[in-house]
Amino acid sequence: MKRVLVYNLFSNVMFEIVVWMIYLKSQGWTIGEIAILEGMFTISQFAFELPSGVISDKLGHKLTLVLGEISCFIYLFGYFFPHIHLVIYISFILFALGLSLISGTDVSILYDAIPVKEKSKYIKYSGIFNSIGILGVAFGNAVGGWLAKISWTTLFIIAIIFRFCAIVAAMSINEDNLESVDELQMKQSIFKKDVSFSKE
């Protein structure tokens, strides 16, 4: 469980998110070009959502998570080539793919990491998980703005280091310790809750 929470922290620290538009604009991109890039990213993320769920079911949660983090890791290198528009477009498509692979898979890993006897406490663990994620985002946004004032290169290198740490953290999750509830158990649990609710 601790490894899942550590992974979630590193995964949500994205220093570039709050300043990427400013960076591209400073590198000669027009507002129109940035808008097209953002639109392409949004469409790509939407297109990858369904296939990413299928991939997660086929490859397993841990491998899907690692692949998603690797995609986000590669995307960051695109910022070192801001004048080559095609590189930036491909980078953002990879970022969309990575986020889609991570989305939902991280929550599934969290659920599987909860011991079977404590599955009823999922809301509690989910709250901790989401709180850590929010703190990671807040930290990334605050420090990202500060790093941008110092050096763009420094910002992207540190972002790459944090994303690499997220990959390592995802790979360190021990699948042998993940306990998923089988379909029969889930049906029995749902049935018991329905019966309990109908008696009230």
Side-chain angles (χ1 to χ4, degrees):
M1 173 61 72
K2 289 181 180 178
R3 293 181 182 184
V4 174
L5 296 178
V6 169
Y7 157 74
N8 188 46
L9 176 63
F10 280 110
S11 182
N12 280 286
V13 176
M14 294 178 277
F15 300 108
E16 79 287 351
I17 286 296
V18 74
V19 294
W20 71 268
M21 290 185 187
I22 298 171
Y23 171 70
L24 291 181
K25 195 169 187 306
S26 73
Q27 298 299 315
W29 284 63
T30 65
I31 297 296
E33 288 172 332
I34 291 172
I36 291 171
L37 178 63
E38 189 170 15
M40 184 195 67
F41 166 77
T42 303
I43 292 169
S44 298
Q45 194 172 13
F46 173 78
F48 289 137
E49 276 300 321
L50 181 60
S52 67
V54 175
I55 290 170
S56 182
D57 290 338
K58 295 290 183 183
L59 299 182
H61 298 150
K62 178 179 174 179
L63 181 55
T64 303
L65 212 58
V66 171
L67 290 174
E69 290 297 337
I70 290 173
S71 292
C72 293
F73 178 75
I74 295 171
Y75 132 82
L76 287 167
F77 287 92
Y79 286 107
F80 293 106
F81 307 95
H83 300 298
I84 307 175
H85 284 47
L86 181 61
V87 170
I88 297 295
Y89 290 140
I90 293 172
S91 296
F92 270 70
I93 290 173
L94 282 173
F95 188 40
L97 173 62
L99 291 180
S100 295
L101 289 172
I102 294 166
S103 174
T105 305
D106 54 355
V107 178
S108 297
I109 282 252
L110 170 69
Y111 185 79
D112 290 346
I114 301 171
V116 172
K117 293 180 181 179
E118 296 186 38
K119 294 293 186 187
S120 59
K121 296 181 181 178
Y122 172 73
I123 299 297
K124 170 189 170 183
Y125 288 113
S126 179
I128 295 170
F129 184 83
N130 289 331
S131 296
I132 289 173
I134 291 168
L135 286 173
V137 171
F139 174 75
N141 287 351
V143 176
W146 175 69
L147 288 172
K149 290 183 179 180
I150 298 173
S151 164
W152 289 114
T153 302
T154 302
L155 184 152
F156 296 125
I157 289 174
I158 293 176
I160 287 169
I161 291 171
F162 266 73
R163 188 57 69 173
F164 179 76
C165 289
I167 294 172
V168 173
M171 292 177 69
S172 74
I173 296 171
N174 190 347
E175 287 185 295
D176 295 334
N177 292 336
L178 300 180
E179 302 181 67
S180 58
V181 179
D182 61 35
E183 191 174 343
L184 178 60
Q185 285 178 304
M186 288 181 71
K187 286 180 179 178
Q188 288 174 340
S189 176
I190 293 169
F191 177 73
K192 286 179 182 178
K193 286 180 180 178
D194 287 344
V195 171
S196 175
F197 178 76
S198 64
K199 287 181 179 179
E200 292 179 358

